[in-house]
Amino acid sequence: MNHQTGGRFNKLPWGLMLLLVSLTLTCCSNPLAATPPPTLEIPLESKVGQLSASRTSLAGGETTDVRVAVVKVLGAADPFAYQWSTTGGLILAGQGTCCISYQAPETPGAFEVHLTVQYEAEFVQRSLTLQVSAPPTATPTPAPTDTPTPAGSTPEPTVTPLPTDLPLPDAVAYFNRAQEYYFKRDYERTLADYTKAIELNYDPLSEAYYNRGYVQYVQQNYTPAIEDFSKAIELNYDPIALPYYNRANAHFYKGNNDQAIADYSKAIELEYDPLSLPYNSRGLAYRKKGEYDNAIADYTKAIELKHEPLVWPYYNRGNAYADKGDYERAISDYGEAIRLDAANANAYYQRGLAYKLKGDFAAARADFQKVLELNNDSLRTDAETQLQELPAP
C-alpha cells in the first residue's frame, strides 16, 4: 500500500539505565523536556536492541508493526540510518525509520524481516521470524462507491480498557505509565491508562486523545481511532496536521475515500512535514476512487518533493498509468522504481504485465523470470502463471 503513518509519543525511561544517566531506550518518540546528558561512548551493538513485533503469528495478508529499540540522547535527532528488507511480504510504511508496518504474504510459511542499522561507518544487523498461516476464507464485499461508508456503519472490534494494575496519584502518572505499557506492546493496558488520564483531565488533553487514537490505529481499530483523532483536532493538538494525516489514514483503511481525501488535503494545507507523505497517500485514495489523473498529479508532486523512499510514488504512479492503459508511461515509472530498488519484485511483476499488454512478450518474460529469481514468495505463483500464458518464444 505504501502508506506511512505519523506517530508521536513522549519518551520514557526504559531498560538501559545501568549507567544512571539520562539515556532512554525508545522507538519513534519525542522526549519530555530534559537537559541532554553528556555523550557516552557505547558500542553500536549495545545501542541497538532486538526486533520486536506487535504480532509474530499472522494470517496471509494481515499486517503487524515491527520495531527496533535504540539508545540515543534525550532531545537529540535520531542519529541512525535504518534499512529494512523481508524474505516475503511487503513493507507498507516506515522504511528509513525504527518502526515499520509489515504485510504478510498470502503464502503460508516462515518469513524473515531484516534490519541494517548504520551509525557513521558502523553497521549492525537484526532479524525477526514471522509465522504466516493461510488467509481465512473471505466473503465477497460490495465494490466501493464514491459515497463513503458512514463512520461506525461497519462493525469493528471494540476494546474494553482493562482496570489498571495499581491506582496512581494523578493524570500525569497514568499518562506516563501508558507510555511504558506502549513500548512493552501491552496495548490493552496502554489504552486503559490513557483513558484514565483523559478522565483525570491530563494537560494537554489533546495529547492523551491523540496517543490513545494512535494505539487504536496501530491495532486496526479504525473507528475509535478516528473518534480520538477528531477529539485531538477539536482540542487543537500541536502540530495539528498530525491528527488530520492519521485520521485520513484510518478513513482510507475503512474505505472512506472521500473523507480520507478531505483529511489528506487538510494536512497538505497545514503543511504536514514531510509534505510528500500526504500527497502520496492522497494519490492512493484517488486511485481507489478511479480518479487516475488526480492520483497521477499527487504522485508527481510527491516525486517533486523527494518522497522518502522515492521508489513509492514512482511505483504508485506506474500503477495509475497502467490503470489508464498508458503502458509506455507505466513501464517508464516501473523502470525508475527498479532503478531505485533493484530488488523490487512488485515493480518487475507490474512492468511485466504492462509489457504483456503491449505485446512485448520477450520483455514481459524477462521481468517475470526476474520475479522468480528474487524469490518473492507472494508473487511466485502469479509470475509462474504469467510465464505459462505467454506465447512460446
Side-chain angles (χ1 to χ4, degrees):
M1 205 69 66
N2 294 341
H3 248 293
Q4 195 152 334
T5 305
R8 188 180 78 171
F9 280 84
N10 290 329
K11 191 176 294 183
L12 289 171
W14 208 24
L16 294 182
M17 299 299 291
L18 39 146
L19 295 176
L20 298 179
V21 295
S22 297
L23 288 176
T24 306
L25 184 61
T26 73
C27 180
C28 298
S29 57
N30 289 331
L32 292 167
T35 302
T39 303
L40 297 177
E41 292 300 326
I42 303 175
L44 182 60
E45 184 67 32
S46 299
K47 293 181 181 180
V48 180
Q50 298 301 316
L51 299 188
S52 61
S54 51
R55 291 184 299 160
T56 57
S57 296
L58 306 167
E62 288 186 340
T63 62
T64 187
D65 286 338
V66 181
R67 59 184 62 79
V68 65
V70 297
V71 175
K72 64 179 183 179
V73 176
L74 280 175
D78 192 338
F80 304 110
Y82 306 88
Q83 181 62 46
W84 297 84
S85 62
T86 176
T87 59
L90 296 174
I91 296 172
L92 298 178
Q95 182 66 268
T97 73
C98 62
C99 312
I100 61 166
S101 177
Y102 167 85
Q103 183 176 43
E106 299 293 331
T107 307
F111 301 93
E112 292 184 343
V113 174
H114 299 289
L115 170 65
T116 299
V117 180
Q118 180 182 0
Y119 176 70
E120 297 181 346
E122 297 181 77
F123 296 85
V124 297
Q125 294 183 320
R126 298 289 185 261
S127 64
L128 178 69
T129 300
L130 303 175
Q131 297 293 331
V132 178
S133 59
T137 303
T139 55
T141 56
T145 65
D146 288 349
T147 303
T149 305
S153 63
T154 301
E156 292 190 11
T158 57
V159 177
T160 303
L162 293 178
T164 53
D165 296 328
L166 293 171
L168 298 176
D170 54 31
V172 173
Y174 278 106
F175 185 90
N176 288 342
R177 191 170 70 178
Q179 305 286 63
E180 294 177 2
Y181 281 140
Y182 176 78
F183 290 116
K184 293 175 182 176
R185 295 170 299 283
D186 189 341
Y187 295 135
E188 290 181 301
R189 286 187 172 85
T190 302
L191 291 170
D193 274 358
Y194 278 137
T195 298
K196 191 66 177 176
I198 289 169
E199 291 172 359
L200 295 173
N201 291 314
Y202 177 83
D203 185 20
L205 193 56
S206 63
E207 191 163 336
Y209 273 109
Y210 174 81
N211 284 9
R212 190 176 71 173
Y214 188 78
V215 176
Q216 297 280 22
Y217 176 87
V218 167
Q219 293 190 293
Q220 301 179 32
N221 298 323
Y222 298 125
T223 295
I226 289 168
E227 292 170 356
D228 277 351
F229 290 145
S230 297
K231 190 66 177 178
I233 291 168
E234 178 186 326
L235 293 168
N236 295 314
Y237 181 89
D238 184 23
I240 191 68
L242 191 57
Y244 272 111
Y245 178 70
N246 277 328
R247 190 174 71 174
N249 288 336
H251 277 307
F252 177 86
Y253 286 116
K254 276 179 63 68
N256 299 340
N257 294 310
D258 284 342
Q259 287 104 319
I261 289 168
D263 275 352
Y264 287 135
S265 298
K266 188 65 176 179
I268 290 168
E269 176 189 328
L270 293 166
E271 298 185 340
Y272 179 89
D273 185 21
L275 193 56
S276 60
L277 293 186
Y279 274 110
N280 182 71
S281 297
R282 191 174 68 175
L284 293 172
Y286 275 132
R287 183 181 174 225
K288 271 197 167 185
K289 287 189 64 179
E291 297 182 16
Y292 303 126
D293 288 334
N294 285 335
I296 288 167
D298 274 357
Y299 296 142
T300 300
K301 187 66 176 178
I303 291 168
E304 292 173 359
L305 292 169
K306 300 190 184 304
H307 184 283
E308 179 59 39
L310 193 56
V311 64
W312 288 6
Y314 273 112
Y315 175 77
N316 290 336
R317 194 173 69 176
N319 288 335
Y321 277 130
D323 291 334
K324 288 187 65 178
D326 190 342
Y327 301 122
E328 285 288 352
R329 286 191 173 93
I331 288 166
S332 175
D333 275 352
Y334 292 139
E336 184 62 17
I338 290 166
R339 187 189 70 79
L340 292 166
D341 179 7
N344 193 322
N346 288 283
Y348 277 109
Y349 181 79
Q350 294 297 335
R351 191 175 69 173
L353 291 178
Y355 275 131
K356 178 184 175 183
L357 291 166
K358 255 192 84 197
D360 190 341
F361 300 128
R365 181 175 290 102
D367 276 352
F368 294 138
Q369 289 284 7
K370 185 65 177 180
V371 173
L372 298 182
E373 292 173 16
L374 290 170
N375 292 318
N376 187 295
D377 290 334
S378 64
L379 291 173
R380 175 175 295 279
T381 300
D382 290 337
E384 289 173 344
T385 300
Q386 291 297 331
L387 285 168
Q388 292 171 4
E389 292 177 356
L390 289 174

